[in-house]
Amino acid sequence: MNSSLNLSAQAQIIDGKATANAVLEEVKAEVEQFKAQGIAPCLAVVLVGDDPASHVYVRNKVEKAQYVGIRSLEFRLDADTDQQTLLAQIDALNRDMSVHGILVQLPLPEQINETVVLEFIDPKKDVDGFHSENVGGLSQGRDVLTPCTPTGCIRLLKDTIGENLSGLHAVVVGRSNIVGKPMAALLLKESCTVTVVHSKTKNIQALCQQADIVVAAVGRPRMLNQEYFNPNAVVIDVGINRIQENGKNRLVGDVDFEEVANHVQAISPVPGGVGPMTIAYLMKNTLTAARLQTQQI
Ligand code: GUN
């Protein structure tokens, strides 16, 4: 990383789309190796209900799987599906040796207990990395299946800063199970000094100002302005917030990009930053899962 002071120069814009494409090409080549050994990596996606955003996400996942040569199976269940029916579907997928990855799209309808469902997925097929066995494994620094979004963020950080993140102070803003907590665990595994700040934290701004790395995952549009960063900060914005501005729909992050972009070392934009990395790492995780189950490659 360039450690000279960066007072008002344009920050490096971290191109998540380009990096995601590079990851997909890596996956494509690895899929060929699996196929050469007679294994067809396969991802099953289960969608319950008719949440429009979830439908878009699932379609994107299936399309990307097709692109890299991963076989995909899609299961769409009605919004009023009961928990037993969903568990029976997962049980069938757990037992099916030709299925390597299982993803149940969240959120689930209210009659279904999310924890029960996620715990029911075979941990070796848990491409989301949400099963407690994988969560626990990650907290112990073991090589397990890890959540796609924070894993993608680590790749963006390494592409920007270099492979060695050791000793850097990383501040994670947000403590969700999907992003904040696994992000903190992954950064710790990289030997960063990690601070997690959240809605009850006193003086978030002062803590962020000390950071070499800031990962924002709170879901509050443009919460972090210029005052939160030192000029050498590398900023990863996980937020995807839909807002209305001047009568138009816009997607913005948790960081005020326009204001911050000239005052930090590097920043990921929204859209085009973290978003494409999530699906790319879902594909990577599907191959990791296939490897865990076949012990072939
Ligand atoms: N819904 C929003 N993000 C995610 C995710 O990472 N995994 C799953 N399964 N559902 C989601």
Side-chain angles (χ1 to χ4, degrees):
M1 179 169 52
N2 179 359
S3 61
S4 63
L5 220 56
N6 183 1
L7 282 177
S8 63
Q10 168 73 43
Q12 178 191 340
I13 307 299
I14 299 171
D15 188 343
K17 233 172 155 175
T19 308
N21 285 337
V23 172
L24 291 174
E25 293 310 314
E26 291 167 20
V27 171
K28 219 172 165 179
E30 287 174 57
V31 168
E32 287 311 311
Q33 292 173 17
F34 272 99
K35 288 187 174 167
Q37 301 201 33
I39 301 160
C42 173
L43 170 67
V45 181
V46 182
L47 174 57
V48 187
D50 32 44
D51 177 56
S54 291
H55 275 263
V56 174
Y57 292 142
V58 166
R59 192 178 333 124
N60 284 339
K61 287 166 185 173
V62 169
E63 270 175 26
K64 285 292 182 294
Q66 247 160 20
Y67 175 77
V68 297
I70 290 176
R71 193 174 145 237
S72 66
L73 305 173
E74 219 180 318
F75 297 88
R76 290 171 185 257
L77 306 178
D78 292 340
D80 62 358
T81 299
D82 64 20
Q83 186 166 300
Q84 259 335 97
T85 307
L86 176 57
L87 293 180
Q89 177 67 72
I90 295 170
D91 185 47
L93 295 170
N94 280 341
R95 291 165 186 272
D96 187 337
M97 300 266 290
S98 73
V99 171
H100 303 105
I102 302 172
L103 180 139
V104 177
Q105 185 67 29
L106 304 176
L108 289 166
E110 59 182 17
Q111 74 273 17
I112 295 174
N113 183 322
E114 188 177 297
T115 308
V116 170
V117 170
L118 296 179
E119 289 297 302
F120 201 69
I121 296 172
D122 180 343
K124 286 195 173 69
K125 298 190 178 189
D126 172 33
V127 285
D128 261 327
F130 294 162
H131 191 288
S132 59
E133 193 171 312
N134 289 320
V135 176
L138 171 59
S139 88
Q140 292 180 334
R142 285 193 272 127
D143 281 327
V144 290
L145 287 163
T146 56
C148 305
T149 300
T151 308
C153 292
I154 294 285
R155 171 69 176 254
L156 290 180
L157 285 168
K158 288 188 170 181
D159 275 14
T160 306
I161 296 169
E163 276 296 309
N164 185 8
L165 306 179
S166 171
L168 296 177
H169 183 201
V171 173
V172 179
V173 187
R175 54 172 161 174
S176 69
N177 289 335
I178 291 184
V179 185
K181 284 179 200 156
M183 187 75 241
L186 286 165
L187 288 161
L188 196 55
K189 195 163 176 240
E190 296 295 331
S191 298
C192 287
T193 301
V194 182
T195 303
V196 180
V197 303
H198 49 79
S199 56
K200 300 286 188 282
T201 302
K202 291 178 187 137
N203 213 346
I204 292 179
Q205 193 171 307
L207 290 163
C208 286
Q209 278 170 357
Q210 296 172 28
D212 302 302
I213 294 167
V214 177
V215 180
V218 269
R220 290 184 55 186
R222 298 186 182 127
M223 179 184 128
L224 306 181
N225 61 24
Q226 191 187 318
E227 306 297 317
Y228 283 73
F229 304 101
N230 80 63
N232 286 312
V234 174
V235 182
I236 304 291
D237 191 351
V238 184
I240 300 179
N241 308 293
R242 286 163 224 277
I243 61 161
Q244 283 263 341
E245 199 166 65
N246 305 324
K248 287 185 189 151
N249 289 321
R250 268 198 79 176
L251 270 191
V252 300
D254 294 341
V255 179
D256 188 335
F257 182 85
E258 278 88 11
E259 185 179 306
V260 170
N262 290 327
H263 297 275
V264 293
Q265 186 78 30
I267 181 168
S268 70
V270 177
V274 173
M277 295 297 288
T278 298
I279 295 189
Y281 270 83
L282 175 61
M283 300 304 132
K284 271 241 184 243
N285 276 357
T286 303
L287 297 193
T288 304
R291 220 167 268 128
L292 285 171
Q293 287 153 72
T294 60
Q295 306 290 339
Q296 284 281 343
I297 300 178

